[in-house]
Amino acid sequence: DIHMTQSPSSLSASVGDRVIISCQASQDINNYLHWYQHKPGKAPKLLIYDASRLETGVPSRFRGVGSGTNFSFIITSLQPEDVATYYCQQSFTFGQGTKVEIQ
Amino acid sequence: QMQLVQSGAEVKKPGSSVKVSCKASGGTFSSYAVTWVRQAPGQGLEWMGGIIPILGTVTYGQKFQDRVSITADESTGTAYMELTTLRSADTAVYYCARPLVGARDYYNYGLDVWGQGTTVTVSS
């Protein structure tokens, strides 16, 4: 089985800051890597699919980069409404999640 | 735009079973897979399994394969997830979701349509 390692588990940043979350796969996953935003009481929301493709309607401040085994999710300018937990997903496996807060 | 509407909250005793439904409306049901994902309190997301209704093909996550059964009724556009031998650790919100792509390897694709979630509480 492919193992996914997501980091950090939590972070606190200021409004307007650049935020980066990493996800590393134990083997090449052919860019089948997706990023979700999950807020309490709501269903997860797909933000980025296939490593770097922005889902329709998602703000352009959200970006995905990477290939092979190393991937990153970037919020270029953190907004108050971005407070949430973010997950990477590859096939049958989700990353451990990163809780993003405003400091 | 397709929507997925799940059945309501359940409270179950340890050792019993629960069956959650997920009804599709406003789109093509059979040609897309339906995937089930859960989140226990304070925990992350877990992939439980999925089904391609038109093929009847089912794939289960390794952790759940002994206790979960996923089925679909094409005539009503409804998918079901049944979890047996419930324990307190199965207390969670259960989601159904549809992948972006209608393909046999649907598990490789992002999940773009989600149900609202069904809370299952296991307590004696």
Side-chain angles (χ1 to χ4, degrees):
Chain A
D1 283 2
I2 297 174
H3 184 67
M4 305 299 294
T5 303
Q6 184 177 342
S7 63
S9 57
S10 66
L11 66 88
S12 182
S14 299
V15 172
D17 279 356
R18 183 181 182 91
V19 167
I20 300 176
I21 299 169
S22 297
C23 200
Q24 183 170 23
S26 57
Q27 62 190 70
D28 192 323
I29 58 172
N30 200 25
N31 291 356
Y32 287 132
L33 191 284
H34 320 297
W35 293 96
Y36 299 85
Q37 177 189 68
H38 194 197
K39 295 183 178 181
K42 297 201 169 183
K45 178 183 178 182
L46 179 67
L47 301 180
I48 303 288
Y49 64 96
D50 297 352
S52 62
R53 298 179 183 273
L54 191 68
E55 171 72 335
T56 303
V58 173
S60 59
R61 66 179 180 274
F62 296 106
R63 290 185 57 207
V65 297
S67 63
T69 61
N70 289 294
F71 301 86
S72 294
F73 172 79
I74 303 167
I75 306 175
T76 57
S77 177
L78 186 67
Q79 300 301 305
E81 60 267 32
D82 300 337
V83 170
T85 301
Y86 293 84
Y87 294 91
C88 61
Q89 181 217 354
Q90 190 282 322
S91 184
F92 312 122
T93 306
F94 287 92
Q96 297 85 351
T98 298
K99 188 173 184 179
V100 174
E101 297 175 317
I102 301 286
Q103 70 181 18
Chain B
Q1 173 73 337
M2 173 179 274
Q3 289 186 309
L4 299 174
V5 179
Q6 298 182 224
S7 50
E10 302 263 13
V11 179
K12 294 292 183 178
K13 300 284 189 190
S16 66
S17 300
V18 68
K19 192 170 187 176
V20 180
S21 68
C22 170
K23 184 172 176 61
S25 64
T28 303
F29 175 73
S30 297
S31 59
Y32 284 82
V34 176
T35 297
W36 290 88
V37 174
R38 80 173 188 184
Q39 185 182 39
Q43 304 298 310
L45 300 174
E46 293 185 287
W47 196 92
M48 299 184 69
I51 185 168
I52 305 175
I54 199 170
L55 298 177
T57 308
V58 185
T59 303
Y60 295 123
Q62 201 165 14
K63 177 178 177 179
F64 302 99
Q65 59 188 4
D66 292 338
R67 297 194 296 133
V68 72
S69 177
I70 295 173
T71 57
D73 182 342
E74 288 185 76
S75 66
T76 61
T78 305
Y80 301 89
M81 185 284 300
E82 182 174 26
L83 190 61
T84 62
T85 321
L86 290 169
R87 36 207 186 230
S88 58
D90 293 317
T91 294
V93 178
Y94 292 77
Y95 296 98
C96 61
R98 190 199 76 169
L100 270 168
V101 175
R104 288 176 185 251
D105 63 338
Y106 61 91
Y107 36 80
N108 284 324
Y109 298 95
L111 302 168
D112 70 330
V113 180
W114 291 73
Q116 81 276 21
T118 297
T119 299
V120 175
T121 303
V122 182
S123 174
S124 55

